[in-house]
Amino acid sequence: MDVVAATKPIIRVAALCGSIRKGSFNRSLLRSAIKLCDESINGMQIEYIDIAPLPMLNTDLEVQGTYPPVVEAFREKIREADSVLFASPEYNYSVTAPLKNAIDWASRPPNVWADKAAAIVSAGGGFGGGRSQYHLRQIGVYLDLHFINKPEFFLNLFQPPSKFDSEGNLVDVATKEKLREILLSLYTFTLRLQGK
């Protein structure tokens, strides 16, 4: 089993879920990613960042270059991260309103997304959230976010057998391995961008 050596640099990953629903399968993917890191990927630390408390973007809330405390705290979490892991469900062929709102807040001057590595996972029907991923990649171009190209991760929730148990935990072994491959790719790409 490929395990990132403990002697390698530690990267900090900010994990954001586009769904703020408590039972979200996309959030379950992030929980699984955190567990995988704890179990088998040394050198990577993932922190889930809740975007639900963020107010809708309104520049009237910006006062002399400062933002509301909850926005400042969110922006600082992104600023401190080495890379970003998005779980992006698809709403109407695009990213969700909560995720776009979070992206826009962190892009306000100074843009705290710039020069970070990023990866996307998604769970949904049909294309498994793929259209949201492509829109997110387009947004990332303007923000100077650098997404890994491969592997890609689209999980069709309606294709049997179920990949999650009744508690919302990812239980499918093959899907866990695909998620692990995404994390390893993100780790390697982050270090490459940082020149390490």
Side-chain angles (χ1 to χ4, degrees), residues 25 28 31-32 163-172 176:
F25 289 112
S28 293
R31 280 199 320 269
S32 297
K163 308 298 188 280
F164 298 89
D165 66 17
S166 60
E167 301 295 316
N169 299 306
L170 181 64
V171 292
D172 184 72
K176 283 184 181 180

Side-chain angles (χ1 to χ4, degrees), residues 10 30 88 96 110 164:
I10 293 175
L30 294 181
S88 182
T96 67
F164 298 89

Side-chain angles (χ1 to χ4, degrees), residues 14-33:
L16 279 66
C17 183
S19 173
I20 58 177
R21 186 175 66 87
K22 289 180 182 176
S24 165
F25 289 112
N26 283 277
R27 187 180 295 192
S28 293
L29 289 177
L30 294 181
R31 280 199 320 269
S32 297

Side-chain angles (χ1 to χ4, degrees), residues 28-97:
S28 293
L29 289 177
L30 294 181
R31 280 199 320 269
S32 297
I34 291 169
K35 187 174 181 184
L36 281 170
C37 278
D38 292 343
E39 294 174 349
S40 66
I41 305 178
N42 296 320
M44 177 179 271
Q45 297 173 346
I46 301 178
E47 180 182 0
Y48 173 72
I49 311 298
D50 188 6
I51 63 174
L54 295 173
M56 288 301 293
L57 181 69
N58 179 352
T59 54
D60 288 343
L61 299 176
E62 300 177 23
V63 180
Q64 296 178 339
T66 65
Y67 302 94
V70 66
V71 174
E72 290 282 11
F74 170 71
R75 288 172 52 82
E76 187 59 27
K77 291 283 187 185
I78 302 303
R79 184 183 292 110
E80 291 172 350
D82 298 299
S83 56
V84 185
L85 176 62
F86 293 96
S88 182
E90 180 180 317
Y91 287 14
N92 298 318
Y93 280 24
S94 189
V95 298
T96 67

Side-chain angles (χ1 to χ4, degrees), residues 105-182:
W105 270 124
S107 73
R108 298 294 297 160
N111 171 23
V112 295
W113 300 111
D115 296 322
K116 295 186 188 299
I120 319 169
V121 297
S122 60
F127 196 20
R131 295 179 190 91
S132 73
Q133 290 200 23
Y134 296 144
H135 275 195
L136 186 50
R137 287 176 182 274
Q138 288 179 309
I139 294 165
V141 170
Y142 184 76
L143 301 177
D144 292 324
L145 267 171
H146 306 287
F147 286 98
I148 62 170
N149 290 325
K150 296 283 189 321
E152 294 180 304
F153 186 104
F154 313 108
L155 182 60
N156 186 330
L157 292 174
F158 304 116
Q159 183 177 359
S162 177
K163 308 298 188 280
F164 298 89
D165 66 17
S166 60
E167 301 295 316
N169 299 306
L170 181 64
V171 292
D172 184 72
V173 174
T175 304
K176 283 184 181 180
E177 184 55 31
K178 288 179 182 176
L179 182 57
R180 188 173 173 279
E181 289 171 6
I182 288 278

